[in-house]
Amino acid sequence: MQSKSIKSILKVGNIVDVLSSSPEPLSLAALAKSTGLVKSTLHGLVSTLVEIGYVEQVPDNGYYQLGIRLFEIGNSISNKWNEKRIAYPYMQEIVEKTGETVHMAILSDGEVLYIEKLESSRSIQIVTASGVKLPAYCTGLGKALMSNLPTEDIKRICQATGFVQHTENTIMSCEALMAELAVIRDRGYSVDEQEFMIGLRCIAVPIYNHFEKVVAAISIAAPLSRMQGERFELYKELLMSAGQQISARLGYKVSAESR
């Protein structure tokens, strides 16, 4: 049986999750409805979170939102990620050589969580920034991140997230997704063929750690007109080279079978 203190931690986690997923501050009543907590219990927990800076109360209406302290903690964690620190100069070099937008992401609850974005002078209008989540099944980064997962994990993600048709090219079944991931494993990179947004093409490569596990992915995103022919081949080679070097610095060693 869980102790009272552990249950309280779970309740606090639920409050933070609800506030983080809300696009705007929430009233106590709305927070109670979303968390399933009674107002008296919720008020005590939220008041404590406000006291330590994890939650803030909006002066105008008394509603609640996440506090600056969590932002500071998030930045601290982000800055300590070896993957991000090691990848940054390689990503910067790709931006300088291609003039295109470069992203880095990890897999979080079956979705793509963007942790870095380096924009070029001719950036494209896509909703990506650190902390933003997008579907994994219809993005280059997502497919690269899932490419080395066991079949059971892929099926679990399919079941949990479902499929939404964003364009006529969107993958719409777990079977089709697994077939695509098998191709990605063989060739070492993934391509978003306008699967999330018409006119946008993206190429991505997985980043491996010393356990031969995919821990992140980096990508180049550009309009379809700039991501074809010789330019596509150049972008692919630059990205694959960067992915291999970042993985090597994380301790990944290419096995003889994969050479």
Side-chain angles (χ1 to χ4, degrees):
M1 178 180 286
Q2 292 177 324
S3 68
K4 184 176 179 181
S5 59
I6 293 175
K7 288 182 178 178
S8 295
I9 292 171
L10 291 174
K11 290 172 183 175
V12 166
N14 190 14
I15 293 167
V16 171
D17 285 344
V18 168
L19 288 175
S20 69
S21 62
S22 175
E24 53 191 24
L26 297 175
S27 66
L28 193 67
L31 198 50
K33 183 177 180 181
S34 296
T35 60
L37 298 172
V38 297
K39 283 188 179 180
S40 57
T41 300
L42 179 63
H43 185 267
L45 292 172
V46 172
S47 296
T48 302
L49 288 170
V50 170
E51 187 176 340
I52 61 177
Y54 286 12
V55 171
E56 295 175 347
Q57 198 165 14
V58 180
D60 293 345
N61 53 24
Y63 286 12
Y64 297 95
Q65 62 185 12
L66 293 184
I68 192 68
R69 180 63 185 137
L70 283 180
F71 176 77
E72 293 169 350
I73 292 171
N75 275 343
S76 175
I77 294 170
S78 178
N79 290 336
K80 290 174 183 175
W81 280 342
N82 279 341
E83 295 91 340
K84 182 176 175 180
R85 178 174 54 81
I86 290 171
Y88 189 88
Y90 296 96
M91 295 171 65
Q92 198 167 38
E93 184 179 6
I94 291 172
V95 172
E96 290 169 359
K97 287 182 175 179
T98 65
E100 305 293 359
T101 299
V102 178
H103 294 99
M104 185 175 193
I106 59 174
L107 198 61
S108 174
D109 298 325
E111 294 182 296
V112 176
L113 174 61
Y114 288 81
I115 62 173
E116 187 62 89
K117 177 182 182 180
L118 299 184
E119 293 192 76
S120 70
S121 57
R122 50 178 183 175
S123 181
I124 48 178
Q125 295 301 311
I126 49 177
V127 186
T128 53
S130 295
V132 168
K133 281 187 175 183
L134 290 180
Y137 61 90
C138 59
T139 55
L141 283 165
K143 291 187 292 182
L145 288 164
M146 288 193 292
S147 62
N148 206 38
L149 288 178
T151 300
E152 298 75 21
D153 290 351
I154 298 169
K155 289 181 177 178
R156 195 176 301 117
I157 290 173
C158 290
Q159 201 167 32
T161 62
F163 295 87
V164 175
Q165 187 151 18
H166 297 276
T167 75
E168 61 183 15
N169 298 332
T170 304
I171 291 173
M172 290 299 292
S173 73
C174 203
E175 292 75 14
L177 176 60
M178 286 194 288
E180 174 79 359
L181 295 179
V183 173
I184 294 167
R185 276 193 297 274
D186 287 340
R187 69 187 182 189
Y189 66 92
S190 65
V191 182
D192 168 4
E193 297 284 11
Q194 304 181 82
E195 296 162 48
F196 181 69
M197 181 187 298
I198 291 295
L200 174 69
R201 200 178 193 199
C202 172
I203 180 170
V205 297
I207 303 297
Y208 294 85
N209 66 7
H210 61 290
F211 293 116
E212 299 186 6
K213 178 183 176 183
V214 175
V215 291
I218 57 174
S219 73
I220 299 174
L224 182 61
S225 60
R226 298 205 302 261
M227 187 76 90
Q228 299 187 68
E230 291 182 2
R231 189 174 288 174
F232 174 83
E233 293 300 319
L234 171 63
Y235 290 2
K236 180 184 74 177
E237 293 304 318
L238 287 171
L239 204 58
M240 291 186 72
S241 176
Q244 290 165 6
Q245 292 179 74
I246 296 165
S247 296
R249 291 191 60 188
L250 290 171
Y252 175 66
K253 289 182 172 59
V254 180
S255 62
E257 292 79 6
S258 60
R259 285 194 180 104

